[in-house]
Amino acid sequence: MIDSRKIRETGGESLLIADPNPFVCEAIRALVKEWGLFEQIDVAHGLPRVLQIAREASETVLLLVDRWGSTASSDIVEQIKAFGAPHRIVVLLTDVDDPSSVSSLLSKHPAGVITRADSPHVIYRCLHSVCLGATYRSELVTNAVQNIEQLQESRAGEDGLTNRQREVLCLLAEGFSVKEIASMMHLSAKSVDSHKYRIMKKLKLNDRVRLARYAIREGLIEA
């Protein structure tokens, strides 16, 4: 059930729905309009128009489809972020079966990631969370991420670390706290703690000073 009190908390926001298919744009606009989360809702069917609006607007929520022809959503998110405006980007994935594309997208840290298989209620929760400044991943996306990490585990490097664990290691070695790393990587503090535990166990290192020395010795960070 939609919480009207929460809707009032997010009034005045602007939303851009971007999808190559005009019918999809209008269907999403009709759905979102009923929720009252946004004061203004616009649509864009062409990628040049999407980028133009993102370049000229000061701040808005952008709901993007995950692929425009041969252009992947990760590249679009990167281009939009390069404009410097504090846009909050939500990506609607067509599917989550391609680990490389999902990983590439998540590395750009969009504010929200959902899938076409998610229910309208999940889409509402995502947009509402993003309006309030939080990040959101649907359960389907979270499950896909876990599957990707399991796949990476099976392809771990010589030190036994996955790419995600190596990224956490570098941030720990640079002195960031678990809470800061969680925010930077759009993970829960619990997930970062789990990565930290596995890193220390695999490397047989029991404190952050030794982790930092290891990262410097392996050339992962500069001294």
Side-chain angles (χ1 to χ4, degrees):
M1 182 175 180
I2 305 302
D3 188 333
S4 59
R5 178 183 60 81
K6 290 183 177 181
I7 288 177
R8 287 194 297 271
E9 292 173 359
T10 59
E13 295 283 355
S14 176
L15 173 69
L16 172 65
I17 301 169
D19 191 298
N21 188 326
F23 177 79
V24 172
C25 284
E26 294 303 328
I28 295 176
R29 173 153 62 177
L31 177 66
V32 174
K33 186 176 180 180
E34 294 181 2
W35 295 334
L37 285 171
F38 300 94
E39 184 175 295
Q40 179 177 338
I41 302 176
D42 296 311
V43 299
H45 309 145
L47 184 54
R49 178 58 177 159
V50 174
L51 296 176
Q52 179 187 1
I53 294 174
R55 186 185 298 109
E56 296 175 352
S58 58
E59 180 178 4
T60 190
V61 177
L62 293 95
L63 177 60
L64 304 171
V65 70
D66 64 334
R67 183 171 287 279
W68 294 67
S70 60
T71 305
S73 57
S74 56
D75 296 330
I76 300 172
V77 172
E78 185 173 25
Q79 290 182 61
I80 291 173
K81 287 194 172 187
F83 298 146
H87 300 307
R88 285 152 292 167
I89 305 171
V90 176
V91 178
L92 181 64
L93 294 172
T94 303
D95 62 64
V96 290
D97 294 331
D98 183 353
S100 61
S101 63
V102 174
S103 295
S104 179
L105 170 63
L106 296 179
S107 71
K108 307 304 179 183
H109 306 302
V113 186
I114 50 181
T115 79
R116 288 187 184 273
D118 283 314
S119 68
H121 185 68
V122 170
I123 298 172
Y124 164 78
R125 286 169 57 192
C126 176
L127 292 175
H128 176 256
S129 297
V130 169
C131 283
L132 294 178
T135 57
Y136 187 93
R137 290 180 186 173
S138 73
E139 184 177 352
L140 293 176
V141 174
T142 299
N143 291 339
V145 171
Q146 291 174 348
N147 291 337
I148 290 169
E149 290 179 346
Q150 289 173 0
L151 179 62
Q152 289 176 334
E153 286 278 1
S154 67
R155 299 176 178 175
E158 293 182 2
D159 57 9
L161 299 181
T162 65
N163 291 336
R164 175 58 60 87
Q165 288 169 349
R166 199 167 286 109
E167 186 177 359
V168 171
L169 167 62
C170 290
L171 293 173
L172 286 169
E174 289 173 352
F176 292 102
S177 69
V178 168
K179 185 176 180 180
E180 289 171 332
I181 294 171
S183 177
M184 294 164 68
M185 297 182 66
H186 297 274
L187 298 171
S188 68
K190 185 177 179 180
S191 293
V192 175
D193 262 327
S194 177
H195 284 308
K196 179 181 175 182
Y197 169 78
R198 292 178 183 178
I199 292 166
M200 289 183 166
K201 184 177 180 180
K202 288 179 179 180
L203 299 181
K204 296 181 173 58
L205 301 173
N206 56 12
D207 63 52
R208 293 179 63 142
V209 173
R210 289 185 173 86
L211 286 178
R213 289 173 180 169
Y214 174 87
I216 293 171
R217 186 171 67 250
E218 295 297 315
L220 300 176
I221 64 171
E222 296 182 359

